[in-house]
Amino acid sequence: RTALRGTLSDLRGEPESPGVKRCYPANSAPHILDSFERREVMSSHRVELPCKASGHPAPKYRWLKDNRPLEPDARFRQSVAGLLIERAQPADAGAYVCEVWNAYGTAEVGGMLLVKGQCPVRSAGGGGGWWMVVVFVVRVVMIVVVVTVVVFVVVKVFVPLKAVVSPRKVKGSVGSQVSLSCGVTGSEEYQLSWYRNGELIYPGSSVRVTGQNRENLVMGGMAKSDGGAYQCFARHGKMAAQDFVQVILEGLPPKSWRTILGRARLKLHGRFAACRSWAHAGPIDQFHPIAPNSGFRIEVLVNGSLLIKHVLEEDSGFYLCRVSNDVGA
């Protein structure tokens, strides 16, 4: 009751109304009304750190940054609601503490300020928009370069080794030349070996291995026994890859006689000496001896030649002439 002395208007210097008592607020320690724990702001933008307190007499304010009194700066000013920072810079980021006090007590509130981005460099005339564009473009380019390098490294490290032999189908005749190539991806450095039916192939008079990494295999004068599975095996560190193709060789050296079925005669001769015997093999058969007097259509002549009359489809294939003299056979 002793505090009821008048109206609050007397505190503002207003004249006292007749019959009304004046009232003064009770003395009290500061009490925080508004605070913050974390604030984020883009560089060059404005930010306000809330710090509002009640108390009587009216409390005073002091700000600390990173446990040190805040240095004077024209960009900083105390507002009714808190600390107002104009054109925030990265250096403004840190831990802020707002201290309030009066004759009856103290209080404080603290929080973190994060400033995103760079403060643009301005010229003496106050310009700087063009520089922000340049900084933005440089950042974009740097990000693209970093992402490209990371992707390249990941691909370089994690892409597996792969080998592919070409051509995929190889079908030739005895005496011909066969060429194979092995393409390897996943690494530019590797060791390569060639195998036939699981056995390592070594270069020789009729076998050549060419290319920077021995990726080409060239074989001449192929024999029927040279057919089979040809394998390319590549190694790089702990990685390995392989591929193979099947090489098929058919028949004897490709010397053939062609005729029209039922309309021609076929006369074969031995070389350097008369043929003592003849044998015949179809495209996929073994050789079978031809008797000197096989019948009316097929006849072995006195000079060793083989005469086939009225040629039929079953006569196609390979013919073997066996000869002998005093030196050998």
Side-chain angles (χ1 to χ4, degrees):
R1 292 180 181 177
T2 57
L4 297 177
R5 295 171 142 183
T7 64
L8 294 177
S9 61
D10 291 336
L11 299 177
R12 299 190 295 270
E14 297 178 1
E16 181 180 351
S17 300
V20 178
K21 299 293 184 180
R22 294 185 179 182
C23 179
Y24 296 99
N27 296 324
S28 62
H31 176 70
I32 301 296
L33 301 177
D34 193 7
S35 63
F36 74 102
E37 293 182 357
R38 178 188 177 95
R39 279 288 189 273
E40 294 184 3
V41 63
M42 293 299 297
S43 178
S44 301
H45 287 210
R46 173 191 292 181
V47 64
E48 187 172 52
L49 306 182
C51 181
K52 189 175 182 180
S54 62
H56 187 78
K60 296 182 180 180
Y61 295 83
R62 185 178 75 152
W63 285 88
L64 291 84
K65 177 178 177 291
D66 297 331
N67 296 323
R68 295 182 179 181
L70 191 63
E71 297 180 0
D73 193 313
R75 297 181 299 108
F76 294 75
R77 64 184 177 89
Q78 180 69 42
S79 66
V80 176
L83 179 65
L84 185 63
I85 303 176
E86 301 282 354
R87 303 185 306 280
Q89 300 177 3
D92 298 335
Y96 284 78
V97 175
C98 172
E99 293 182 347
V100 294
W101 76 93
N102 61 15
Y104 295 93
T106 62
E108 68 177 30
V109 63
M112 291 294 300
L113 174 64
L114 301 179
V115 181
K116 297 182 177 180
Q118 270 189 325
C119 180
V121 179
R122 296 182 177 272
S123 62
W130 65 271
W131 184 253
M132 294 179 65
V133 174
V134 172
V135 171
F136 175 78
V137 172
V138 171
R139 285 181 177 177
V140 171
V141 172
M142 291 178 64
I143 293 174
V144 171
V145 170
V146 170
V147 171
T148 303
V149 170
V150 170
V151 171
F152 176 79
V153 170
V154 170
V155 171
K156 190 80 171 176
V157 172
F158 295 102
V159 169
L161 208 61
K162 184 178 181 181
V164 177
V165 178
S166 60
R168 301 304 300 168
K169 295 181 179 180
V170 182
K171 190 174 183 180
S173 57
V174 173
S176 63
Q177 176 177 289
V178 173
S179 298
L180 301 176
S181 179
C182 183
V184 179
T185 58
S187 176
E188 296 180 357
E189 299 178 357
Y190 55 88
Q191 295 79 43
L192 192 145
S193 303
W194 287 95
Y195 294 82
R196 181 178 68 84
N197 296 331
E199 296 183 359
L200 184 63
I201 297 176
Y202 295 97
S205 58
S206 60
V207 178
R208 292 183 294 116
V209 180
T210 63
Q212 182 177 357
N213 293 311
R214 299 167 54 88
E215 64 270 19
N216 301 317
L217 177 64
V218 181
M219 300 169 290
M222 298 290 285
K224 196 173 184 67
S225 60
D226 292 331
Y230 281 77
Q231 180 188 32
C232 159
F233 195 87
R235 301 181 184 86
H236 175 66
K238 297 182 179 180
M239 296 188 298
Q242 65 88 26
D243 191 27
F244 75 95
V245 295
Q246 193 74 22
V247 176
I248 300 174
L249 300 171
E250 295 181 341
L252 294 174
K255 183 175 182 180
S256 62
W257 296 265
R258 293 185 179 180
T259 184
I260 301 175
L261 295 181
R263 294 188 181 182
R265 288 184 174 187
L266 178 61
K267 194 172 184 180
L268 307 179
H269 301 275
R271 294 184 178 181
F272 311 115
C275 290
R276 299 304 179 188
S277 62
W278 284 87
H280 169 244
I284 60 174
D285 297 330
Q286 300 294 325
F287 281 101
H288 300 285
I290 299 175
N293 298 316
S294 299
F296 174 76
R297 283 195 322 107
I298 301 177
E299 181 182 356
V300 179
L301 302 181
V302 177
N303 63 0
S305 298
L306 180 66
L307 179 63
I308 303 176
K309 307 172 186 178
H310 192 69
V311 178
L312 302 177
E313 185 174 1
E314 64 188 36
D315 298 327
S316 63
F318 300 96
Y319 288 82
L320 179 64
C321 165
R322 300 183 185 277
V323 300
S324 63
N325 56 20
D326 296 337
V327 177

